[in-house]
């Protein structure tokens, strides 16, 4: 599922709340994200991790054409940071605004005691 970054309502140590496409509040549990992250890592690289080993709740990519965070909830929730590729909008600092919002979300997650894996 994809949502726009403006749909995020808050982030706490326990998880994040966001508005879905029907304007209903939904919750992502970071405990659930840890569980799926640990399982994913074991399946892909064979390294057995525990909750104590990782505070990772998803991954992020700033260098993708549309920047995003993806939380390892079930189903996965991808928080998109779209911006226009039109030159006149880029020079109006639209990309800088999105970068600032991207970094702000990253720091909110970190300040709540979690992290996301950097794909960039």
């Amino acid at each position: 599922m994809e949502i726009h970054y403006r749909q995020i309502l808050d982030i706490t140590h326990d998880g994040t709340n966001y508005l879905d496409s029907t304007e209903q509040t939904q919750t992502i549990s970071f405990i659930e994200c840890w569980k799926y992250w640990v399982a994913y890592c074991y399946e892909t690289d064979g390294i057995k991790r525990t909750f104590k080993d990782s505070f990772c709740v998803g991954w992020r990519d700033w260098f993708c054409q549309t920047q995003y965070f993806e939380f390892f909830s079930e189903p996965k929730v991808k928080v998109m940071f779209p911006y226009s590729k039109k030159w006149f909008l880029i020079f109006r600092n639209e990309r800088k605004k999105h970068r600032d919002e991207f970094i702000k979300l990253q720091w909110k997650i970190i300040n709540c005691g979690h992290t996301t894996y950097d794909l960039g």
Side-chain angles (χ1 to χ4, degrees), residues 45-74:
D45 63 16
I47 297 173
K48 200 155 187 126
R49 292 176 174 84
T50 66
F51 292 131
K52 294 178 184 178
D53 297 331
S54 177
F55 297 100
C56 196
V57 294
W59 52 34
R60 67 185 184 279
D61 194 346
W62 171 253
F63 296 103
C64 189
Q65 184 169 348
T66 300
Q67 296 79 23
Y68 67 90
F69 281 78
E70 187 168 28
F71 293 104
F72 270 63
S73 55
E74 184 58 43

Side-chain angles (χ1 to χ4, degrees), residues 57-106:
V57 294
W59 52 34
R60 67 185 184 279
D61 194 346
W62 171 253
F63 296 103
C64 189
Q65 184 169 348
T66 300
Q67 296 79 23
Y68 67 90
F69 281 78
E70 187 168 28
F71 293 104
F72 270 63
S73 55
E74 184 58 43
K76 289 183 182 176
V77 176
K78 189 180 267 191
V79 181
M80 307 299 287
F81 289 78
Y83 71 94
S84 174
K85 294 252 184 218
K86 296 178 183 172
W87 284 102
F88 66 92
L89 290 176
I90 291 173
F91 288 119
R92 288 187 182 169
N93 292 325
E94 183 177 335
R95 184 171 170 96
K96 181 186 179 315
K97 179 182 84 172
H98 284 88
R99 184 193 69 218
D100 292 346
E101 291 297 324
F102 187 91
I103 292 169
K104 190 186 304 182
L105 179 58
Q106 182 178 350

Side-chain angles (χ1 to χ4, degrees), residues 13 17-18 26 32 36 44 75 97-98 100 114 119:
H13 176 75
N17 294 310
Y18 66 93
Q26 302 295 327
E32 180 181 288
Y36 287 114
T44 57
K97 179 182 84 172
H98 284 88
D100 292 346
H114 306 288
L119 295 173

